[in-house]
Amino acid sequence: MTILTNIAQLVTVASGGAPSKTGAAMRDLGVLDNAAIVFSDVIEWIGAVDDLPSVYMEQANEVVDCRGQVVLPGFVDAHTHMVFAGSRAHEFARRLSGVPYTEIAAEGGGILTTVRAVREASVEEIVEIGERLVQSAIEHGTTTIEIKSGYGLSTESELKLLAAAGALQQEMPIDIAVTFLGAHAIPPEYASQPEAYVDLVIEDMLPKVQEQGIATACDVFTDVGFFSREQSERILKAAADRGFALHVHADEIANIGASEMAAAVGALSADHLEYTTPENMAALREADVVGVLLPGTAYTLRLPYPDARAMIDHGMVVALATDCNPGSCLSENMQLMLSLACANMGMSIEEAITAATLHGAHALRMSDRVGSLEVGKLANLVIYDVPSYADIVYHFGVNQVYSVWSHGVEIA
Ligand code: NIG
Ligand code: FE
């Protein structure tokens, strides 16, 4: 048993058992001043230092004095593409000179550049890239992460990416949720017959992914130049029939009805949402679809930022994630995502913290175990060397993490 004591601010994000907190409740972080927390793999006690029962002090193997420090739940990064190969630095440079992302994609670059590298890479090479990114995410305060496939686009290469994600699940010290994203782009060999690729995803990939047993969810990139609403719906319904949870890349480049579809098919989350309308927001709220917003992507691609303010005011459950991938956002730093979200998306510091913890967990339907610091939940927490939680967002572009704990064990 471990005790962290003399915590200047313990930010619990407590929801009292509710899976998420909407509207004004999103701003209630349940902060305890001069607090202590007692845990094994799960949290056993939380309260003011003065109320800490002496029996815990007698039983503890380790007492950590957090004088002047701040403790938060570990971040839940609910949207990443951390299994890939190669680099897109050259395309980044071209985009800076004004060439649009869509033009590079239409030339066979973009996602397809990474697909070529993945098809030539071994599982070990992909795992090595993933290890570095996951390790760095941990060091920046993330204790639960989602990883998608999607740079293979053939049955063999998608299974290779999922095997790499499975290896990361086994060896990294945090919980990793794996998502199959076979419908990330149309591969070049199917350019003239996209429907046949949709059939391949449904008839060949989905059954084999199910059999392999690593991915629990299925995602589709529903957008102009990628998968139509109809194609996406076919894939998502087939995935749901096989027991996969659903996520959708929605309204990123244009609004072709992707978020509306996400609500209709019962997706856990609709992600991106740069071009989402107020009507779409209402539909997402009604269907309890989490809006996973990715400010690092809007920043990198210079897209209009998603209107988080309107979404929260519409009562939607809003989460923040990195989208960490080689093309549209190569960052695994959730602290930076909070700063970008507050500066550009009309979110308060409190809303951003709830979005990056409890609501990331709800997007993965894991908020019964992670995402807030409450008795009975996993002891996934991060100590920051800052005078107040606001400083995590205010003092940006540097790493403020002091130490990271997953399942009650110090891992960084
Ligand atoms: O989430 N939107 C689709 N997929 C990724 C981008 C992938 C890439 O450019 O490699 C995203 O932004
Ligand atoms: Fe993405």
Side-chain angles (χ1 to χ4, degrees), residues 155 190 193-207 227 231 234-235 238:
T155 305
Y190 284 90
Q193 38 167 353
E195 291 302 328
Y197 184 69
V198 173
D199 292 342
L200 182 81
V201 170
I202 294 172
E203 288 159 22
D204 194 50
M205 292 189 194
L206 273 174
F227 293 86
Q231 291 168 334
R234 273 178 64 207
I235 294 166

Side-chain angles (χ1 to χ4, degrees), residues 51-73:
D51 299 334
L52 179 65
S54 55
V55 56
Y56 287 126
M57 273 304 201
E58 288 151 22
Q59 288 174 2
N61 320 86
E62 191 180 12
V63 180
V64 179
D65 188 340
C66 300
R67 199 165 296 279
Q69 293 178 311
V70 171
V71 172
L72 259 71

Side-chain angles (χ1 to χ4, degrees), residues 54-381:
S54 55
V55 56
Y56 287 126
M57 273 304 201
E58 288 151 22
Q59 288 174 2
N61 320 86
E62 191 180 12
V63 180
V64 179
D65 188 340
C66 300
R67 199 165 296 279
Q69 293 178 311
V70 171
V71 172
L72 259 71
F75 292 128
V76 181
D77 187 350
H79 183 137
T80 86
H81 306 248
M82 285 189 180
V83 283
F84 61 85
S87 165
R88 305 245 296 276
H90 56 294
E91 291 182 1
F92 175 70
R94 279 186 73 203
R95 276 195 281 104
L96 293 180
S97 73
V99 186
Y101 181 78
T102 43
E103 193 177 313
I104 292 174
E107 288 169 2
I111 292 172
L112 298 182
T113 299
T114 306
V115 169
R116 285 189 289 275
V118 162
R119 288 180 177 182
E120 283 174 12
S122 64
V123 179
E124 293 71 28
E125 286 163 343
I126 297 164
V127 170
E128 207 178 304
I129 290 172
E131 278 167 356
R132 281 168 179 263
L133 288 170
V134 173
Q135 182 60 35
S136 173
I138 292 169
E139 288 164 10
H140 287 85
T142 296
T143 54
T144 309
I145 211 159
E146 186 259 17
I147 299 181
K148 303 173 196 296
S149 68
Y151 292 113
L153 309 186
S154 68
T155 305
E156 187 197 343
S157 298
E158 284 298 311
L159 291 174
K160 178 165 75 177
L161 288 170
L162 294 173
L168 296 173
Q169 261 179 341
Q170 294 301 315
E171 70 189 52
M172 300 308 288
I174 60 168
D175 293 311
I176 298 177
V178 179
T179 299
F180 165 61
L181 176 59
H184 195 192
I186 306 282
E189 59 277 17
Y190 284 90
S192 61
Q193 38 167 353
E195 291 302 328
Y197 184 69
V198 173
D199 292 342
L200 182 81
V201 170
I202 294 172
E203 288 159 22
D204 194 50
M205 292 189 194
L206 273 174
K208 289 180 178 153
V209 171
Q210 184 182 19
E211 203 179 291
Q212 189 196 40
I214 292 170
T216 51
C218 177
D219 194 339
V220 176
F221 185 10
T222 308
D223 222 311
V224 172
F226 294 87
F227 293 86
S228 69
R229 180 176 171 158
E230 292 68 30
Q231 291 168 334
S232 304
E233 224 163 349
R234 273 178 64 207
I235 294 166
L236 293 168
K237 284 186 173 156
D241 287 345
R242 291 185 180 276
F244 290 93
L246 308 179
H247 302 285
V248 182
H249 278 71
D251 309 341
E252 178 185 1
I253 298 166
N255 189 329
I256 61 165
S259 58
E260 193 181 274
M261 175 201 68
V265 299
L268 304 190
S269 71
D271 305 36
H272 281 286
L273 307 183
E274 282 80 0
Y275 290 99
T276 303
T277 66
E279 292 71 36
N280 300 149
M281 294 175 197
L284 292 168
R285 178 195 61 219
E286 289 313 308
D288 192 28
V289 181
V290 178
V292 177
L293 308 183
L294 310 164
T297 303
Y299 169 78
T300 305
L301 298 184
R302 291 183 278 187
L303 302 173
Y305 281 85
D307 193 350
R309 183 74 268 133
M311 292 179 201
I312 293 169
D313 294 342
H314 270 83
M316 263 179 70
V317 181
V318 168
L320 288 172
T322 61
D323 198 18
C324 182
N325 75 76
S328 63
C329 180
L330 189 50
S331 175
E332 61 280 28
N333 180 353
M334 283 289 284
Q335 294 165 66
L336 181 60
M337 300 308 139
L338 272 72
S339 292
L340 290 176
C342 291
N344 299 294
M345 287 162 40
M347 293 178 85
S348 71
I349 292 166
E350 290 76 14
E351 288 167 342
I353 290 174
T354 301
T357 55
L358 186 71
H359 289 180
H362 189 47
L364 302 174
R365 293 304 186 268
M366 289 174 73
S367 63
D368 58 331
R369 283 163 284 156
V370 302
S372 64
L373 300 178
E374 295 176 84
V375 171
K377 281 198 173 184
L378 285 168
N380 289 359
L381 50 91

